[in-house]
Amino acid sequence: MKILLLMLLTLASLTVHALPEQIVLIRHAEKMTGKDPELTPQGQQRAQRLATLLAPLNPKKLFSTDYHRTRQTLAPLSAATSVPVQMYNPKALADFAKQLKNDSGTIVVAGHSNTTPELIKLLSGHTVSIHEDEFDKVFIVSWKEGKAILEKRHSNEGKAQ
């Protein structure tokens, strides 16, 4: 009886770590040149395609770095879902990854060719790369039985690869 009681108390004291349903990570769309550039017309079209692709996932939160190109990439999705875009600090990715893992629902994060792979590694342990001329990669991190699963897509196709 004492052993059973001890086991129940041990189980009750363990905290269950909830994870989000999924975290969608993208790099901003095509950008102009210069300091803090805006999206090109092609980038604006990609942002619209991303909104069409991601709106059915019913994101609960949208996160962007505080740059024109990332905010503009999420603007159509924000308009389509009525979810405001929140800013995150790309220089504090470890803290941001912990914050994301403690959230719930579907989350979309817009970043950069250097920060998005780093955030994916922090969230899932998976290594990915985004070349300077690549703007179409979409990464979806989800969890099954506590293990991170990484799915790769392209915003041009919307198909898993």
Side-chain angles (χ1 to χ4, degrees):
M1 184 69 161
K2 288 182 182 181
I3 293 174
L4 180 59
L5 184 58
L6 183 60
M7 288 174 58
L8 288 173
L9 287 172
T10 302
L11 286 174
S13 68
L14 295 176
T15 57
V16 177
H17 182 69
L19 293 165
E21 184 177 332
Q22 58 191 351
I23 301 174
V24 180
L25 300 110
I26 58 173
R27 178 190 183 194
H28 60 77
E30 291 85 345
K31 63 182 173 113
M32 295 182 186
T33 58
K35 186 177 178 161
D36 196 12
E38 297 194 3
L39 295 182
T40 64
Q42 183 181 4
Q44 292 170 4
Q45 290 175 350
R46 182 174 310 282
Q48 289 294 334
R49 278 196 306 274
L50 284 165
T52 301
L53 179 69
L54 300 177
L57 299 178
N58 297 314
K60 302 297 178 218
K61 292 189 178 176
L62 305 177
F63 289 99
S64 168
T65 57
D66 196 13
Y67 292 93
H68 287 110
R69 58 194 176 272
T70 48
R71 290 192 315 265
Q72 290 173 348
T73 298
L74 287 183
L77 180 58
S78 176
T81 59
S82 299
V83 175
V85 178
Q86 301 175 55
M87 299 303 124
Y88 73 93
N89 181 355
K91 294 179 181 175
L93 290 178
D95 291 337
F96 184 51
K98 288 178 190 173
Q99 174 190 338
L100 291 173
K101 283 184 172 182
N102 286 313
D103 225 323
S104 61
T106 294
I107 302 164
V108 178
V109 180
H112 306 269
S113 62
N114 60 337
T115 61
T116 300
E118 186 178 342
L119 189 54
I120 290 168
K121 180 81 171 168
L122 290 166
L123 291 168
S124 70
H126 293 272
T127 302
V128 301
S129 65
I130 302 174
H131 296 284
E132 193 57 35
D133 62 348
E134 291 181 307
F135 300 93
D136 67 330
K137 289 183 174 179
V138 177
F139 301 95
I140 302 173
V141 177
S142 59
W143 291 265
K144 184 172 184 178
E145 297 175 6
K147 183 179 178 187
I149 299 165
L150 179 66
E151 181 182 352
K152 300 173 190 175
R153 295 184 181 204
H154 287 275
S155 61
N156 292 341
E157 309 158 3
K159 298 177 187 173
Q161 74 161 350

